[in-house]
Amino acid sequence: MNSESLANKLSEIYQIDEWGSYCSNIPKEVKNLAFQLAEPMWVENMLAKGRLLVHPEVAEDLKGQNYKPNMHQKKMIWASILGSDETPDSEKRFYKIKKLLIGRYGEDWWEDVYQRKNNVWAARQRIQKSVSGSMISAFVENTILGAHCAREERQRALCMIKK
């Protein structure tokens, strides 16, 4: 498997912390290049699907940078991953990511990510509440006004996230 095809496959996997397990038998050079190629594709894909919860200005900055995050933006991305995790094994995954990030970037870097995740969690809760309930869901899904209101509320919730 070449780096480009591996990068395409990786960019579709939401759990970026699992990329390594998909590449266990791939030569290091191919894997490293694939990770570099996949990262901007992954960011673009997750933003388009609404799965990456970052401040709207940060999303615009990422778009202007061809979805290549700088180190500061990477903290926001990891905070989004942690703050929006709803998987059954979220606690186990939290500690796995913590260990990964401390090993790669250090304790201070991790602390910044950890502090940011709380704002992401609060924004996610606000977004979920804004579209919960059968009447609200029907209004959002079936009317232009409802869809507009839901987008506006999502933007306000995302503005709660620290830049």
Side-chain angles (χ1 to χ4, degrees), residues 133-148 150:
S134 59
M135 285 182 36
I136 293 173
S137 293
F139 176 65
V140 168
E141 291 172 13
N142 297 316
T143 67
I144 294 171
L145 178 61
H148 175 74

Side-chain angles (χ1 to χ4, degrees), residues 6-7 10 19-20 23 30-40:
L6 179 58
L10 292 174
W19 283 10
C23 305
V30 173
K31 182 175 19 177
N32 289 342
L33 179 57
F35 282 12
Q36 289 175 10
L37 295 171
E39 185 180 47

